[in-house]
Amino acid sequence: MSDFQNQIESTITRFLELQKATGGISASTGLVFYDLEAQAKFQYPVLAPIRQRMPRIGATNPLGGQGLAAHWNSITSPNVGNVPAEASEGQSGALITPTVTPKVATYKLLALDGNVTWLSEWAGYGYEDVRAAQQRMALDAMILNEEPRLLWANSGTANVGLNFLQANTPAIVGAMSATGGALATGTYYVCVAALTYQGYQFANAPTAYGGGGGIAAVPQFTKQNGDGTSTVMNGGVSQVSAISSGISVTSGSSVGSFVAKTKAIAGAAAYIWYVGMTTGTAATCYFYSITTTNVVTVTSLPTTGQTAAYTGSGTDYSANPLAFDGLITQAMSGGGYFSSLDGAALTSDNAGGCNEINTVFKYLWDNYKISPTHIWAGSGTINSITKIILSSGTASSLEFRVGVDNTPGSVGNLAGGAYIGSINNRFALGARKPVPIDVHPNIPDSHMFFDLEINPYPNSNIPYARAVRTLRDYFQVIWPATTPNWRNTIFCATLVQVYVNYGMALISNIANS
């Protein structure tokens, strides 16, 4: 072998040895720049459209006092017996008797705490004002807490709040199906509990409220407070229903399903279902699903998880005595319109409208001469309304305007996707009054709420249709440091005062189409 070949072989050998060498500096050593953008990013939506549209009213009397509640008298009829006005010559008219109802709404306290350790504050210098960030998050959290309560909060107070009591016993709907599921031949039993909106939220995240793993109802839980105290709260779930009659399923090739329905409860946001086989007892009916309608399709048999005997005492935990009453609660307990579609879809009136919405408009006009001012709905329901209205009637009965973009670089561009921004109310003084319709972040699919934001009766001594009354609006307390922590609390003491609660409406249990 020549010297040149030896040199090449030696060089290759040395290169391979260097490849095997360890140590030195690499990117994983950590001697690299850390590209961290200053200030944390608050990437969550703070959506509160009802809160933004409702006036917030403090003291209304000249002395500034408010006490523990707001009181007023409501005259809903000047002539309760509809006494006729005809009179004979020389005689007086008949005496009329008005309907006077005393009203009361009680102030309730809302509070959320935040905590920042001294070390986290010091370590954040130059990057983030940690205390300011925490206080902003506490404020955002309070707004996000208040919004669903303005709609759904339920104190259970007599004649104002709602107590769901016991859910209605489910029954089979229609014929069993030999397809669409995995039910073996046998006898099945179903029971159900109704959920408030708060209960619906808790059931979808039960671990945080002592509900254990998986989806489950949370009848009660203990809330730990920032000052070291604790509060026992109801979880927004009704007493579970009685067990249904046995539902016999005869399936082909071990495949089958059935549909069960419970009678709707006004103000319920969802229902939690339990299914069992053979024995028909609460202890052997296991959690199956949560639906936002009062109808469920059972396609499989659960054998683990929470059972229908979760409460242990058969108690109704739907109301929250610490809460004020929201708009939907006051509407449902005060004569507002309620309709349950029981899992059916909205239908077209073949004239560019929706039958079920027209029914609400007609009812409110015929009974109270009122037109709602805004409709709020779940996302699936908004989608259904759009499809129904845009597909109703003949093509010639609907008008569409197509906007053609004429800006430089986009000439001739067409935007697809129609939407329904409002629905004309043909049952109102001044026909075809448009009522805006919007999706709401705290209204689940299958629900549609008709709001009344403006006083419908001029010269009635009603200052507003409804408002947030504030004994004390949002304020922050920064507590003295007793440990190496900064603790702050955001408080408010409020209620929802509704003068015309019968002027609102709720359609629930709508199937998406």
Side-chain angles (χ1 to χ4, degrees), residues 411-442:
V411 175
N413 179 57
L414 298 178
Y419 70 93
I420 303 300
S422 61
I423 298 176
N424 287 327
N425 181 4
R426 66 192 65 163
F427 305 102
L429 195 60
R432 299 185 62 80
K433 179 179 180 181
V435 180
I437 182 168
D438 283 295
V439 66
H440 192 282
N442 302 118

Side-chain angles (χ1 to χ4, degrees), residues 4 19 54 58 71 94 142 155 160 173 192 195 250 270 308 317 333-334 379 392 435 461-462 477 482 490 503:
F4 177 71
Q19 290 291 93
M54 286 183 70
H71 303 262
M142 179 65 84
S155 71
V160 181
V173 178
V192 63
L195 301 174
T250 302
Y317 294 107
S333 62
S379 58
S392 66
V435 180
N461 296 326
I462 297 177
V477 175
T482 57
I490 292 184

Side-chain angles (χ1 to χ4, degrees), residues 12-27:
I12 293 173
T13 301
R14 179 58 179 161
F15 176 75
L16 292 175
E17 289 175 349
L18 289 172
Q19 290 291 93
K20 297 177 182 178
T22 60
I25 296 175
S26 68

Side-chain angles (χ1 to χ4, degrees), residues 389-449:
I389 291 179
L390 293 182
S391 63
S392 66
T394 61
S396 60
S397 68
L398 298 174
E399 293 184 3
F400 296 92
R401 293 185 179 182
V402 178
V404 181
D405 198 338
N406 198 34
T407 58
S410 300
V411 175
N413 179 57
L414 298 178
Y419 70 93
I420 303 300
S422 61
I423 298 176
N424 287 327
N425 181 4
R426 66 192 65 163
F427 305 102
L429 195 60
R432 299 185 62 80
K433 179 179 180 181
V435 180
I437 182 168
D438 283 295
V439 66
H440 192 282
N442 302 118
I443 294 184
D445 275 354
S446 310
H447 299 278
M448 194 187 327
F449 173 58

Side-chain angles (χ1 to χ4, degrees), residues 8 42 58 66-67 70 137 197-198 292 295 370 415 440 460 502:
I8 291 176
F42 299 91
Q66 291 175 256
M137 288 185 283
Y197 182 77
Q198 192 171 51
T292 53
V295 178
I370 285 174
H440 192 282
S460 59
Y502 49 83

Side-chain angles (χ1 to χ4, degrees), residues 1-228:
M1 184 180 292
S2 66
D3 290 342
F4 177 71
Q5 288 175 321
N6 288 335
Q7 289 176 356
I8 291 176
E9 187 173 291
S10 176
T11 300
I12 293 173
T13 301
R14 179 58 179 161
F15 176 75
L16 292 175
E17 289 175 349
L18 289 172
Q19 290 291 93
K20 297 177 182 178
T22 60
I25 296 175
S26 68
S28 62
T29 304
L31 297 179
V32 296
F33 181 79
Y34 189 67
D35 186 8
L36 176 63
E37 294 183 8
Q39 295 190 304
K41 315 306 178 191
F42 299 91
Q43 294 184 254
Y44 52 82
V46 184
L47 302 176
I50 294 289
R51 183 183 182 278
Q52 292 171 352
R53 298 170 69 92
M54 286 183 70
R56 302 178 77 87
I57 310 295
T60 58
N61 72 73
L63 299 178
Q66 291 175 256
L68 297 175
H71 303 262
W72 68 100
N73 287 320
S74 178
I75 302 175
T76 55
S77 172
N79 183 3
V80 65
N82 197 25
V83 176
E86 290 84 1
S88 299
E89 183 179 357
Q91 294 183 345
S92 180
L95 289 172
I96 63 170
T97 302
T99 300
V100 181
T101 305
K103 300 283 188 176
V104 60
T106 304
Y107 290 104
K108 297 297 176 72
L109 187 67
L110 299 178
L112 288 175
D113 277 28
N115 188 75
V116 172
T117 66
W118 291 1
L119 183 61
S120 67
E121 179 189 21
W122 303 335
Y125 288 160
Y127 168 69
E128 179 71 82
D129 185 336
V130 180
R131 291 179 65 185
Q134 188 282 319
Q135 290 167 12
R136 170 183 169 171
M137 288 185 283
L139 177 60
D140 290 343
M142 179 65 84
I143 292 172
L144 291 172
N145 259 263
E146 188 180 23
E147 178 70 10
R149 285 159 178 78
L150 294 177
L151 279 168
W152 296 96
N154 173 27
S155 71
T157 305
N159 301 319
V160 181
L162 299 171
N163 289 285
F164 291 176
L165 303 179
Q166 184 176 22
N168 297 284
T169 307
I172 190 73
V173 178
M176 267 71 70
S177 173
T179 60
L183 296 180
T185 297
T187 302
Y188 292 81
Y189 300 88
V190 181
C191 53
V192 63
L195 301 174
T196 65
Y197 182 77
Q198 192 171 51
Y200 178 53
Q201 290 180 305
F202 291 166
N204 281 289
T207 303
Y209 309 100
I215 299 176
V218 183
Q220 281 190 312
F221 69 96
T222 301
K223 177 173 68 76
Q224 301 299 327
N225 303 318
D227 60 1

Side-chain angles (χ1 to χ4, degrees), residues 203-505:
N204 281 289
T207 303
Y209 309 100
I215 299 176
V218 183
Q220 281 190 312
F221 69 96
T222 301
K223 177 173 68 76
Q224 301 299 327
N225 303 318
D227 60 1
T229 63
S230 61
T231 306
V232 177
M233 295 186 63
N234 287 349
V237 54
S238 76
Q239 180 182 345
V240 72
S241 72
I243 308 295
S244 71
S245 301
I247 301 168
S248 296
V249 173
T250 302
S251 60
S253 303
S254 298
V255 177
S257 64
F258 64 86
V259 177
K261 179 179 74 173
T262 182
K263 183 180 178 182
I265 294 178
Y271 297 84
I272 184 165
W273 300 86
Y274 300 85
V275 179
M277 191 174 181
T278 306
T279 59
T281 65
T284 57
C285 287
Y286 292 93
F287 166 76
Y288 177 71
S289 70
I290 294 176
T291 63
T292 53
T293 68
N294 59 333
V295 178
V296 66
T297 300
V298 178
T299 60
S300 62
L301 176 67
T303 56
T304 60
Q306 186 184 59
T307 73
Y310 61 87
T311 61
S313 60
T315 304
D316 173 26
Y317 294 107
S318 59
N320 180 1
L322 297 176
F324 51 67
D325 291 296
L327 296 174
I328 290 175
T329 298
Q330 295 196 50
M332 294 301 95
S333 62
Y337 177 90
F338 174 71
S339 174
S340 172
L341 298 194
D342 294 347
L346 298 168
T347 58
S348 168
D349 66 358
N350 295 318
C354 171
N355 284 319
E356 291 73 21
I357 294 176
N358 290 341
T359 298
V360 174
F361 289 157
K362 186 175 186 301
Y363 173 88
L364 292 176
W365 175 256
D366 288 348
N367 289 278
Y368 306 114
K369 304 302 180 282
I370 285 174
S371 172
T373 58
H374 212 111
I375 302 173
W376 302 97
S379 58
T381 306
I382 286 285
N383 199 43
S384 297
I385 292 170
T386 301
K387 291 179 180 179
I388 288 167
I389 291 179
L390 293 182
S391 63
S392 66
T394 61
S396 60
S397 68
L398 298 174
E399 293 184 3
F400 296 92
R401 293 185 179 182
V402 178
V404 181
D405 198 338
N406 198 34
T407 58
S410 300
V411 175
N413 179 57
L414 298 178
Y419 70 93
I420 303 300
S422 61
I423 298 176
N424 287 327
N425 181 4
R426 66 192 65 163
F427 305 102
L429 195 60
R432 299 185 62 80
K433 179 179 180 181
V435 180
I437 182 168
D438 283 295
V439 66
H440 192 282
N442 302 118
I443 294 184
D445 275 354
S446 310
H447 299 278
M448 194 187 327
F449 173 58
F450 296 72
D451 197 3
L452 180 64
E453 303 167 298
I454 300 172
N455 172 22
Y457 304 132
N459 304 317
S460 59
N461 296 326
I462 297 177
Y464 37 77
R466 77 283 192 282
V468 176
R469 292 292 306 277
T470 60
L471 182 63
R472 181 73 185 270
D473 214 341
Y474 286 23
F475 70 100
Q476 177 178 251
V477 175
I478 300 176
W479 302 99
T482 57
T483 60
N485 299 269
W486 296 115
R487 184 172 68 87
N488 69 289
T489 305
I490 292 184
F491 289 101
C492 67
T494 59
L495 59 83
V496 176
Q497 184 177 27
V498 181
Y499 286 105
V500 193
N501 46 11
Y502 49 83
M504 298 179 287

